Amino acid sequence: MSTRQMGEKVQRREDPRLLTGNGRYLDDLGRGALQAAFVRSPHAHARIVDIDIADAWELDGVEAIYTWEDLPGRVAEPLPVLIPHPAMTHARTGYCLARDEVNHVGEAVVMVVARDRYVAEDACARITVQYDTLPAVVGVAGARDGDRLVHDDVPGNVAANLRQEVGDVDSAMAGAPHTLTLELAIERSACMPMEGKGVFGRWDADDGSLRLYSSTQTSTGVRAAVAAKLDLPLAKVEVVTPDVGGGFGVKIVHPWPEEVLVPWAARNLGRDVKWTEDRREHFVSSAHERGQLQEVTVGFDDDGRLLALDVRFWHDNGAYTPYGIIVPIITATQLLGPYKPGAYRVEFWSLYTNTVLVTPYRGAGRPQGCYAMERTMDAIAEHRGLDRAEVRSRNFIQPDEMPWDHGLMFQDGRPLKYDSGDFPASLAKLKALVGWDDFAAYREQAEREGRRVGLGIGCYVEGTGVGPYEGGHVQVETSGRVNVATGLTTQGQGHQTILAQIVADELGVPFDDVHVTTGDTRRMAYAVGTFASRGAVMSGNAVALAARVVRAKALRIAAEALEVSPDDLEIADGVVSVKGAPGTSIALKTVAVMSNPLRYAFDESAAAATQFAGTFDPDTPPVGDDDEPGLEGQDFYSPTQATFANGMHAAVVETDPVTAEIRILRYCVVHDCGVMVNPMIVEGQVHGGVAQGVGGALYERMLYDEGGQLLNASFMDFLMPYASEVPHIETDHLETPSPLNPLGIKGAGEAGTIPVSAVIASAIEDAEGFPIRSMPISPADLWELRRRHAASDPDPVPAQEGPR
Amino acid sequence: MSQFAAEPLLDITVRVNGIRRTAAAPARRLLSDFLRHDLGLTGTHVGCEHGVCGACTVLVDGEPARACLMFAVTAQAHDVTTVEGIGHDPADLDPVQQAFVECHALQCGFCTPGFVTTISAYLDEHPDPSADEAREAISGNLCRCTGYQNIVAAVLRAAELRREREGTA
């Protein structure tokens, strides 16, 4: 009997290849291809007056130089608005190469294709672009003022304004015994995958077809977008996603200008063309996230129970809105976390600034939402002198209230309805893990030693596994090898392992026989992409359903051969046997032979399926009317709504009384993503997420000056945590299966990141005794806050009691 | 005819993974690009090109060095070890590589070769590190996926595997 794979800490099959230099990332492909480089705008806001490329052409090895005027047809048109929304009244996107105007530093203006990247960059340096500079709009506050405009035809810099309300907030607020207003700020960070973006295009002139390799999170999306832009039949475009060195959101955007320009140039030049983003390009021309100013007004009773919640926030969407307003919609809805808000009203304004565009980054708007809600919970507890965990507990949605419908519309246009979860049980686990009730004693002990420590907490619910669908294809070869394909891409989440685990169990074959392909449009042309913690939920269930199709077919064929009912058969270890009579069996690979009647014998197993082998009924066709050759099947999983994972984090921090250095002493996570396919991989996702959250809480911020120059566009200056900055993470899990899908899975990809800024703010506030209202926080920030509070010079954004 | 003369190419010879390799490249060719694009050893990855992330770490005469901060010409007369030189057969992993599999110490795998080379050199000097020392040893390399915890565990496990293999050798 085979060992069940689901739920086991199976070691990853991706690893040996990646560990030995046998990985194939984008820049490892296309040896000998021509290389592209870009002249990018040095100004945040300017009109292009003139471009002089003459000097660049003089360089040996330059093959092509393109400006906007060289672009034909749809290549010259603005990039698409990928996710339109009715509230987005002023969507704006850029061009593949800037047309008349640039709207952020780093916007591509000229493309050079040359023998190698060195020459291409030399050529870029010889191109002179004359600009007429315009005033730049930087930061949410600057955009909100509206006295300077990013786009002349967008009043107030407002791309979108959306309001949702459940219940009567005004009367609930008026009737609340207590109200508080919090002004909150959170700054920009960025995904920063270790591998930047990259595109490699190969045009086959004889076949009129394009093969495109891209370091993307959506190969089918890139395929459709590029086919449309280049006016090619979809059938003539293949997109392959090789090994991808991390994504975290930024690689879901498509098409990036380079994804259009590189294949276009390849077709133009009849040569392979490649572009590999360098780190500076990634900082100034890819995407950022997180920047928001928030205003929360909350009404509550003596016990700290929410009666009304009124939230307004201003979201910095950067210069363009290709990915719509997914990020602020998620903030607006996921802000509610595990709590019942009473009446709830939320309104946001998504604002243009002359900075790099904003698209989802791991957590995608949720870290900001969680931060707003959890800062509010702490403020309520402080105001009422209550235990912070207790205030949270009193506001929880209870397990017997699931499914819980908030009455709001989520990011996928469907109801914000939680499918499952047990928040009291999660909180109990977290309190036990971190030693919540013993902390007061620890703090006293630390104080006696002259140390200042604080405990912080943060709870969240994460909408995961959004639709519309993913597909799975499963095929059993006559060798017994099982090929599984899903169109969803992978960037290190271990999909090749977990999907093989699922199929091995569903089909009844050894794990080692199952081989998974992801993100290759040649193998699965229908897919959405990897984002929103949807890989295991969507493709996991899709490959399970496809495996069930194959299993049913295998049982039908084997039942005919063994002259028994399919109901009497089982499959284990790749063998179909009669239940209770293991001697009567047939190997699955033999069933594969039988499934496909052949004319030609090309090997031994094929010989067994040819027309003169074995017995057959001459009165029936070799393939029945309602049948197809081959032991393979395909199915799709498409849910009615997202699943909702949840979790709770707690941290102990120490703040140095003199230097204000902030150290995380302990970090504890309780996590519930439903049924875990591979707990080892789930934990790895949590660890990585927390590390990114720690970066966002303490180090990462995009430092723009007033002119829109990004002052810290390098790893020397934009600080990401090393091993020395990330604490050991203690984890515990709860599994409340999702009732929405056959496997009971909820997603786990982003969870670790969501509450970290809230938790660290909570812990620092607990250590210092004054409110923390702006994140990230550096030692210098903390030092300044201490100075202001000591001088009774209140924080610029304190909580305020009383009527609005 | 171009106004600028073609860049002169030099025959650059570097001993890589024990084998003398020669390719024609300009004097300004970075060692990372030379290894990857001229010699086809793509296991050495480039994450930042300014010496901060450590993804391109190779061993030069046994010492970790950023291949993106060296010119290929300056690596002549030195021994360079890339991740392929630590172990290139997925079916026959070096102890550090094996420990990474066992401890789930990689996700996307892009930074991983730089960790493998760094840790290999570290364990040569410090065969029995503590957890704190292991963390310190890897604190010059950036990883965006794993949160480092499992990489720390892999350093300790690799030390164990090395001792086991030495014991049975």
Side-chain angles (χ1 to χ4, degrees):
Chain A
M1 203 54 196
S2 4
T3 313
R4 193 172 155 76
Q5 297 287 318
M6 188 88 171
E8 291 300 311
K9 294 186 172 184
V10 177
Q11 289 180 2
R12 297 201 329 167
R13 63 151 45 119
E14 291 89 340
D15 294 356
R17 212 167 50 76
L18 302 179
L19 277 158
T20 50
N22 288 290
R24 287 293 173 268
Y25 300 85
L26 196 284
D27 189 52
D28 303 343
L29 311 173
R31 207 173 165 191
L34 297 175
Q35 305 262 352
F38 292 87
V39 176
R40 298 184 183 277
S41 170
H43 302 295
H45 199 190
R47 292 194 202 290
I48 297 168
V49 178
D50 183 57
I51 303 175
D52 183 354
I53 60 173
D55 264 7
W57 265 121
E58 296 298 318
L59 270 183
D60 188 69
V62 172
E63 298 284 339
I65 302 175
Y66 302 115
T67 67
W68 178 83
E69 292 188 345
D70 300 309
L71 306 180
R74 292 179 191 167
V75 181
E77 293 172 8
L79 291 157
V81 180
L82 282 173
I83 309 179
H85 187 285
M88 206 163 41
T89 49
H90 294 81
R92 294 291 180 273
T93 55
Y95 294 85
C96 289
L97 292 171
R99 185 175 177 177
D100 303 314
E101 184 174 313
V102 288
N103 283 302
H104 65 84
V105 171
E107 194 164 353
V109 180
V110 186
M111 180 195 200
V112 173
V113 182
R115 182 183 60 221
D116 71 16
R117 179 63 179 255
Y118 290 63
V119 175
E121 289 193 19
D122 288 347
C124 287
R126 292 182 173 279
I127 290 169
T128 311
V129 183
Q130 230 186 310
Y131 296 94
D132 198 355
T133 57
L134 298 164
V137 178
V138 182
V140 180
R144 192 169 57 179
D145 291 346
D147 54 349
R148 294 173 176 183
L149 297 180
V150 175
H151 303 287
D152 292 342
D153 56 345
V154 180
N157 294 309
V158 178
N161 169 223
L162 182 63
R163 175 176 156 143
Q164 298 197 61
E165 182 165 359
V166 184
D168 183 345
V169 171
D170 288 332
S171 61
M173 195 72 79
H178 310 277
T179 60
L180 286 172
T181 295
L182 285 74
E183 304 278 346
L184 299 161
I186 196 159
E187 290 197 30
R188 273 191 176 210
S189 184
C191 299
M192 288 297 146
M194 296 310 298
E195 179 207 37
K197 306 198 308 282
V199 188
F200 166 43
R202 172 170 286 174
W203 173 253
D204 184 333
D206 297 334
D207 190 45
S209 68
L210 173 73
R211 183 180 300 166
L212 187 64
Y213 296 83
S214 180
S215 180
T216 181
Q217 290 176 225
T218 172
S219 48
T220 50
V222 171
R223 181 191 189 204
V226 169
K229 277 284 182 194
L230 269 53
D231 203 14
L232 287 167
L234 197 61
K236 291 291 187 184
V237 181
E238 297 170 345
V239 174
V240 182
T241 311
D243 291 320
V244 174
F248 314 115
V250 65
K251 294 177 182 176
I252 190 63
V253 182
H254 64 281
W256 283 106
E258 299 87 357
E259 282 173 324
V260 176
L261 293 170
V262 166
W264 172 71
R267 182 171 69 176
N268 240 13
L269 300 169
R271 297 277 303 278
D272 289 359
V273 178
K274 184 166 83 171
W275 168 73
T276 306
E277 186 179 56
D278 72 23
R279 188 51 57 183
R280 183 173 164 76
E281 284 185 292
H282 190 81
F283 271 99
V284 299
S285 69
S286 287
H288 303 161
E289 214 238 81
R290 305 286 197 251
Q292 286 183 2
L293 292 181
Q294 306 169 333
E295 183 188 286
V296 180
T297 299
V298 61
F300 51 98
D301 67 14
D302 291 348
D303 297 330
R305 285 194 179 81
L306 298 174
L307 300 172
L309 187 63
D310 192 3
V311 176
R312 303 195 304 162
F313 68 92
W314 293 264
H315 172 79
D316 174 357
N317 61 224
Y320 303 111
T321 49
Y323 211 73
I325 49 172
I326 290 291
V327 172
I329 291 176
I330 295 175
T331 301
T333 49
Q334 297 265 265
L335 182 147
L336 294 171
Y339 312 114
K340 292 182 270 192
Y344 178 51
R345 178 167 60 214
V346 63
E347 181 169 14
F348 69 76
W349 292 262
S350 197
L351 302 174
Y352 287 110
T353 55
N354 288 115
T355 54
V356 180
L357 59 88
V358 164
T359 66
Y361 160 36
R362 197 174 199 171
R366 295 177 188 86
Q368 300 96 308
C370 180
Y371 171 71
M373 190 74 234
E374 294 298 295
R375 295 285 64 224
T376 303
M377 282 290 159
D378 282 353
I380 293 170
E382 168 70 21
H383 188 263
R384 297 298 306 147
L386 296 166
D387 176 80
R388 291 168 292 163
E390 181 59 29
V391 169
R392 286 166 170 84
S393 175
R394 287 173 186 173
N395 286 291
F396 280 159
I397 297 159
Q398 296 301 309
D400 60 8
E401 295 176 309
M402 295 288 180
W404 178 267
D405 192 341
H406 275 293
L408 297 165
M409 186 196 282
F410 191 41
Q411 60 132 314
D412 52 358
R414 289 169 179 261
L416 183 76
K417 191 164 86 178
Y418 297 171
D419 48 339
S420 66
D422 186 340
F423 308 133
S426 289
L427 183 63
K429 274 176 176 273
L430 183 71
K431 286 174 73 175
L433 186 62
V434 75
W436 184 268
D437 295 330
D438 303 329
F439 186 75
Y442 174 74
R443 186 208 302 273
E444 281 169 24
Q445 173 64 32
E447 273 172 14
R448 282 196 291 276
E449 296 163 4
R451 298 166 53 220
R452 197 180 290 185
V453 296
L455 173 64
I457 184 172
C459 309
Y460 65 92
V461 170
E462 179 197 359
T464 59
V466 298
Y469 70 87
E470 285 298 335
H473 182 268
V474 174
Q475 174 203 36
V476 182
E477 289 188 17
T478 56
S479 63
R481 178 189 164 101
V482 180
N483 299 310
V484 179
T486 187
L488 175 137
T489 59
T490 191
Q491 304 94 40
Q493 301 94 331
H495 293 150
Q496 275 143 19
T497 302
I498 63 156
L499 299 179
Q501 285 178 258
I502 291 168
V503 170
D505 278 359
E506 291 288 342
L507 197 53
V509 295
F511 173 75
D512 289 343
D513 286 352
V514 187
H515 301 267
V516 178
T517 301
T518 57
D520 184 336
T521 65
R522 297 170 300 182
R523 292 291 309 280
M524 175 56 78
Y526 294 96
V528 182
T530 303
F531 58 94
S533 303
R534 67 193 297 280
V537 183
M538 302 302 299
S539 282
N541 281 290
V543 299
L545 294 174
R548 290 176 189 184
V549 170
V550 174
R551 188 173 183 278
K553 182 168 186 179
L555 293 179
R556 172 169 59 79
I557 296 169
E560 282 172 26
L562 296 170
E563 297 181 331
V564 295
S565 158
D567 296 341
D568 295 332
L569 294 174
E570 62 186 0
I571 311 177
D573 275 334
V575 177
V576 190
S577 324
V578 177
K579 288 177 195 165
T584 313
S585 65
I586 182 168
L588 199 60
K589 62 182 181 183
T590 309
V591 179
V593 173
M594 297 162 69
S595 72
N596 187 16
L598 296 173
R599 183 166 181 83
Y600 306 116
F602 42 80
D603 66 12
E604 212 171 295
S605 59
T610 54
Q611 54 266 52
F612 299 107
T615 57
F616 59 90
D617 177 358
D619 297 327
T620 59
V623 178
D625 288 344
D626 56 352
D627 206 358
E628 289 177 357
L631 187 49
E632 63 183 298
Q634 178 171 293
D635 208 344
F636 291 85
Y637 172 65
S638 181
T640 54
Q641 63 155 89
T643 47
F644 287 85
N646 69 84
M648 300 179 186
H649 295 197
V652 177
V653 303
E654 177 165 357
T655 55
D656 189 289
V658 179
T659 64
E661 189 190 348
I662 301 158
R663 268 179 66 215
I664 302 171
L665 301 181
R666 291 187 65 203
Y667 203 95
C668 298
V669 176
V670 172
H671 185 248
D672 178 1
C673 62
V675 173
M676 290 190 280
V677 182
N678 186 328
M680 181 187 82
I681 286 176
V682 170
E683 292 228 336
Q685 290 292 317
V686 171
H687 292 173
V690 170
Q692 284 187 311
V694 167
L698 296 177
Y699 308 105
E700 297 169 10
R701 70 178 83 205
M702 293 294 172
L703 277 178
Y704 279 100
D705 71 8
E706 286 178 358
Q709 293 291 336
L710 183 56
L711 302 179
N712 60 342
S714 84
F715 284 167
M716 290 289 279
D717 306 298
F718 174 82
L719 303 179
M720 301 201 305
Y722 287 91
S724 39
E725 281 76 51
V726 179
H728 182 83
I729 299 152
E730 301 162 60
T731 47
D732 195 1
H733 297 276
L734 188 72
E735 291 186 84
T736 58
S738 173
L740 295 173
N741 61 69
L743 300 176
I745 299 173
K746 301 189 273 188
E750 301 164 276
T753 306
I754 295 167
V756 186
S757 282
V759 172
I760 300 299
S762 175
I764 294 171
E765 186 171 286
D766 189 45
E768 297 287 328
F770 51 73
I772 303 296
R773 296 283 183 262
S774 181
M775 292 296 270
I777 184 166
S778 68
D781 297 331
L782 181 57
W783 191 89
E784 177 62 16
L785 281 175
R786 280 180 184 170
R787 193 189 63 77
R788 295 177 76 101
H789 280 276
S792 300
D793 178 11
D795 184 72
V797 281
Q800 292 156 355
E801 162 80 356
R804 304 185 64 195
Chain B
M1 187 66 190
S2 290
Q3 169 187 340
F4 305 97
E7 200 168 8
L9 298 181
L10 313 169
D11 274 342
I12 299 174
T13 301
V14 183
R15 193 176 168 89
V16 182
N17 301 329
I19 299 167
R20 284 167 57 86
R21 303 281 303 268
T22 301
R28 61 174 171 167
R29 192 76 157 164
L30 296 176
L31 177 60
S32 50
D33 288 338
F34 182 77
L35 293 168
R36 292 176 46 74
H37 302 306
D38 298 320
L39 302 185
L41 293 167
T42 54
T44 299
H45 296 155
V46 178
C48 71
E49 260 187 319
H50 50 269
V52 183
C53 77
C56 69
T57 305
V58 296
L59 306 183
V60 176
D61 300 330
E63 294 290 328
R66 309 292 210 219
C68 77
L69 294 185
M70 272 183 85
F71 292 118
V73 282
T74 62
Q76 296 194 105
H78 293 281
D79 272 317
V80 173
T81 306
T82 69
V83 70
E84 290 93 341
I86 305 285
H88 193 44
D89 180 356
D92 182 20
L93 300 177
D94 159 90
V96 176
Q97 295 167 331
Q98 177 62 31
F100 265 65
V101 177
E102 291 179 17
C103 299
H104 186 33
L106 68 154
Q107 290 182 22
C108 80
F110 193 81
C111 69
T112 305
F115 275 94
V116 169
T117 49
T118 302
I119 294 166
S120 294
Y122 176 77
L123 291 178
D124 285 345
E125 302 282 324
H126 307 87
D128 190 14
S130 68
D132 284 346
E133 288 166 342
R135 198 172 270 275
E136 178 71 22
I138 61 164
S139 64
N141 289 51
L142 277 172
C143 167
R144 198 60 165 162
C145 294
T146 66
Y148 304 106
Q149 187 158 330
N150 290 346
I151 304 180
V152 173
V155 175
L156 302 178
R157 177 64 183 142
E160 219 172 75
L161 284 170
R162 280 184 162 212
R163 288 195 297 273
E164 281 172 18
R165 289 197 190 179
E166 278 165 19
T168 56

